[in-house]
Amino acid sequence: YRSYQPGDDLRRVDWKMYARSDRHYVRDAEVETSITVRFVLDASASMAHTEAGIKKFDYARFMIAALGYLAHQHGDAIGLEALSNVTVAHLPPKREPQQLHRLLHELERLEPHGGWPQPSHWQRMLETAQRRELLVIVSDVHEYEREITDALSKFRALHHEVILFQILGRAEVEFRHEGFLTLEDLETGRTVEIEGAAARRSYLTAMQSRLAEVKRTLQNQDIAYELFFLEQPLDFALRRYLTQRMK
């Protein structure tokens, strides 16, 4: 907008602005503010981890459903990619009234299986991108050889805006276990026997180092990062993040 000048076409005067400000403004141009939001859900087996009756995968699904609803209400195109080497869902982004229902239907039918897929799987989804998109990745970032963080780096290199929401259980980070335990890797089935007190210090050191590495790697590539715990009410966690993003 700019102030009205004598000689301007009266048809370009924004009368709603005049009613609010008692001043005449001319609308010079209209800018399309809607964007394309593509949600990427980690559907690997590690997302089946459960604490206090809450599964990572369910928390992630509700998070995407809530953010998808907000984006849809804003008029944004929304889409979904659920990735594992067993389960794959592909919902191309669209700005249609029924797209939210499609998104919710896909989320409802999915279950976590397998591991993170090979690059050929997630590279296909980028082939459908017509322009710069907002990619929202929801994952626990359980990886073996940087396969997830490397994928995020590739997304960012293609000039998409990338946000990672990492979902973890508090017990995973604080290692509250006691006594002799058998721990199982949900993706490989591999088990290891440990004694809780003896393993706690080295585990906590490794976990804190890992979280710091993930955060540092993403920040260096201008990838937004937020850590959520299963014990946090979803509305509180999302409100905190969205408030920070608006600032």
Side-chain angles (χ1 to χ4, degrees):
Y1 293 90
R2 62 174 174 80
S3 297
Y4 173 81
Q5 301 294 328
D8 285 335
D9 188 343
L10 288 177
R11 289 174 298 180
R12 294 171 58 196
V13 173
D14 192 306
W15 298 107
K16 291 182 180 180
M17 288 282 287
Y18 172 73
R20 291 196 298 266
S21 64
D22 201 30
R23 296 182 60 185
H24 291 94
Y25 289 95
V26 172
R27 186 171 54 247
D28 258 348
E30 293 185 4
V31 179
E32 177 62 59
T33 58
S34 61
I35 59 175
T36 296
V37 183
R38 193 187 298 252
F39 297 99
V40 181
L41 173 61
D42 182 350
S44 61
S46 66
M47 294 290 285
H49 175 80
T50 302
E51 289 187 16
I54 304 173
K55 186 187 296 185
K56 284 181 187 176
F57 197 70
D58 291 337
Y59 195 96
R61 289 194 289 185
F62 282 120
M63 175 179 286
I64 290 176
L67 291 172
Y69 172 80
L70 291 175
H72 183 73
Q73 290 294 100
H74 188 261
D76 298 330
I78 56 175
L80 173 69
E81 308 289 339
L83 299 180
S84 83
N85 56 13
V86 177
T87 303
V88 178
H90 174 61
L91 181 66
K94 291 183 180 179
R95 195 177 286 108
E96 297 178 354
Q98 61 269 38
Q99 185 70 354
L100 178 63
H101 297 289
R102 297 188 188 116
L103 177 76
L104 298 178
H105 174 73
E106 288 294 327
L107 289 172
E108 186 177 26
R109 73 173 185 81
L110 290 168
E111 290 295 337
H113 297 287
W116 186 261
Q118 294 297 316
S120 58
H121 286 76
W122 51 259
Q123 284 173 348
R124 291 195 199 116
M125 85 177 187
L126 297 176
E127 294 173 359
T128 64
Q130 301 298 317
R131 57 178 181 174
R132 187 169 181 260
E133 296 182 350
L134 172 60
L135 300 180
V136 180
I137 294 88
V138 185
S139 169
D140 59 1
V141 198
H142 181 75
E143 58 183 0
Y144 300 94
E145 297 179 354
R146 294 178 54 89
E147 60 270 18
I148 298 178
T149 48
D150 283 349
L152 268 60
S153 299
K154 180 64 174 179
F155 300 159
R156 188 70 186 96
L158 295 174
H159 305 293
H160 297 293
E161 182 180 358
V162 181
I163 300 173
L164 170 66
F165 292 141
Q166 185 175 15
I167 311 295
L168 292 175
R170 184 71 68 176
E172 285 185 286
V173 177
E174 298 181 355
F175 201 78
R176 302 168 177 174
H177 308 294
E178 299 286 347
F180 290 94
L181 307 163
T182 299
L183 302 181
E184 179 184 359
D185 186 324
L186 293 175
E187 294 187 6
T188 66
R190 179 176 172 237
T191 61
V192 58
E193 296 183 355
I194 63 168
E195 199 284 316
R200 182 172 295 112
R201 177 173 294 182
S202 58
Y203 179 94
L204 292 176
T205 299
M207 173 58 76
Q208 293 304 317
S209 175
R210 168 63 179 162
L211 291 176
E213 178 190 8
V214 169
K215 186 174 183 179
R216 181 173 58 253
T217 298
L218 299 179
Q219 286 180 339
N220 289 340
Q221 299 177 68
D222 196 26
I223 295 174
Y225 169 80
E226 190 77 19
L227 175 61
F228 292 87
F229 290 104
L230 292 175
E231 65 182 25
Q232 293 176 296
L234 183 59
D235 60 331
F236 170 80
L238 283 177
R239 187 180 297 114
R240 183 193 64 188
Y241 171 75
L242 292 171
T243 300
Q244 291 175 345
R245 184 168 174 84
M246 286 175 66
K247 291 179 180 178

